[in-house]
Amino acid sequence: MNREPHSTNAGLMARRHAAVPRGVGQAHQIFIARGSNAELWDVEGKRYIDFAGGIAVLNTGHCHPQVIAAVKAQLDLYTHTCFQVIAYEPYVELAERLNALAPGRFPKKTVLLSTGAEAIENAVKIARAHTGRAGIISFTGGYHGRTLLTLGLTGKIAPYKAGFGPFPGEVFHALFPNPLHGVSVADALASVETILKNDIEAKRVAAFILEPVQGEGGFYVAPPDFVEGLKKIADRHDILIIADEVQSGAGRTGTWFACEQWSVAPDLIATAKSLAGGFPISGVVGRADVMDAPAPGGLGGTYAGSPVGCAAALAVLQVFEDERLLARSKAVGARLTAGLRRIAEAHPAIGDVRGLGAMVAMELFEGGDVTRPDAELTHRVVAEAARRGLVLLSCGNHANVIRILVPLTASDAVLDEGLRILSDSFESVR
Ligand SMILES: Cc1ncc(COP(=O)(O)O)c(C=O)c1O
């Protein structure tokens, strides 16, 4: 291994830029040396509080001891067979656990995969196989991944889709409700009806796909009456509902799946990210009759449902029970929301504080005017916070939202320290 004993962030970043294409973005000019729970240390020894969690992957924190122990134990037994060749129990156990956790009073089955985009691809395949229909309706501002189908579903051009088309056909985008920006629930539902009238017959639509809380799009929560209205349209035309819980799932919002807070049970749920606390695994959980539509051999993948990922995910589920992390998620959300509201009182640029459970964000506008998103201020606050030792991420269609995805295992002291740094960063850049 070629690791310099006294590497600097700048030195490694120069190597990174020479060796890695610029298309792989870089939120922070930092190289990690080690991480523990909600803190990390860079190669120069500087400590950071991590409010980004590797983009929603670390709900149980960096290197949770139980997760690491489970992975080490698995490494001593076997690391790979390909589940379709030689099966292993942790895959089956994880499927059973996810089936039991998913909402809906119907039998369920789960297929395990590796990445979020792969889960979405498979959810669409399963929906098409079950319905015999091709059409998929997704929503503006939604983000579903970087493969060509999931980019097609994604409702934002720059930077994700620009230059990568054409995308698979039979994908249509309806409006996601966003009252803050002038799209009411009625507007959003009407836009679905318009697509069914103008673009594709309802009987050729397999599924609606939506995030219960839009992640990359800006942490906008799908309003309950929107979900109920969508379900009515879905039922009228036998269209399935796919919940993309890649970012909102695994306990982030106070329930294991955010859609547990809907009055409607989705037919299929895509899950990934924090499911395995830092190890790559994903899955599609859904109605058994729908999940069984693809013929044998139609689903899977070489690394899909890796035993190491399964062992990590089972440990994550145990940690959620042992440390009561669903209740903690609500408490973390309440503490963060109160903290952000306090900062907002002193800074009129913060025009909105919102979220569900611990999936919390603030949106910035010039002078608080919601027609003037302030990406520049957002960028400066995020950069200043990093300088002061707090890792944050922005998001949103206008890059003017600061989102928080801190580990749910973070102590109140660390949460408060992070909020203080955020507040000081606002003071210093204003
Ligand atoms: C809601 C949502 N869906 C899908 C994806 C894609 O997941 P992955 O990057 O693991 O492919 C993401 C990633 O951020 C996401 O937030």
Side-chain angles (χ1 to χ4, degrees), residues 37-256:
N37 198 359
E39 294 163 282
L40 63 88
W41 288 263
D42 73 9
V43 288
E44 297 171 20
K46 177 170 169 167
R47 168 184 173 264
Y48 295 85
I49 292 175
D50 188 356
F51 270 18
I55 320 188
V57 169
L58 300 171
N59 288 353
T60 49
H62 287 272
C63 300
H64 192 290
Q66 270 169 264
V67 177
I68 298 301
V71 166
K72 283 184 177 165
Q74 182 60 48
L75 291 178
D76 283 337
L77 297 174
Y78 54 91
T79 60
H80 179 79
T81 61
C82 184
F83 186 74
Q84 298 106 280
V85 179
I86 304 285
Y88 38 88
E89 189 179 349
Y91 185 121
V92 179
E93 189 179 346
L94 182 56
E96 290 167 348
R97 296 292 303 273
L98 292 172
N99 293 341
L101 283 164
R105 279 199 215 105
F106 39 77
K108 299 179 195 86
K109 289 194 174 181
T110 290
V111 60
L112 296 174
L113 305 143
S114 303
T115 68
E118 210 187 350
I120 301 298
E121 293 263 353
N122 278 275
V124 169
K125 279 168 62 181
I126 293 164
R128 284 182 171 171
H130 175 76
T131 58
R133 306 170 176 187
I136 304 289
I137 297 179
S138 59
F139 292 88
T140 50
Y143 177 81
H144 302 286
R146 291 182 184 275
T147 59
L148 281 173
L149 173 61
T150 58
L151 279 179
L153 298 169
T154 289
K156 181 183 178 190
I157 299 288
Y160 309 120
K161 299 170 77 151
F164 295 130
F167 304 106
E170 303 292 58
V171 172
F172 303 87
H173 291 92
L175 294 173
F176 191 83
N178 190 333
L180 184 68
H181 291 286
V183 182
S184 68
V185 166
D187 295 335
L189 291 172
S191 78
V192 173
E193 300 282 17
T194 302
I195 289 172
L196 298 180
K197 199 163 176 208
N198 295 354
D199 299 315
I200 182 167
E201 291 163 273
K203 66 176 188 228
R204 291 205 299 114
V205 177
F208 297 118
I209 180 164
L210 76 160
E211 295 157 90
V213 184
Q214 286 195 330
E216 303 307 301
F219 278 34
Y220 299 107
V221 182
D225 47 343
F226 171 68
V227 177
E228 282 150 25
L230 194 64
K231 174 70 175 159
K232 278 195 192 128
I233 300 174
D235 283 349
R236 206 180 313 135
H237 302 292
D238 292 326
I239 297 171
L240 301 178
I241 293 185
I242 303 171
D244 179 347
E245 292 256 13
V246 170
Q247 191 156 159
S248 60
R252 188 77 226 162
T253 66
T255 44
W256 181 259

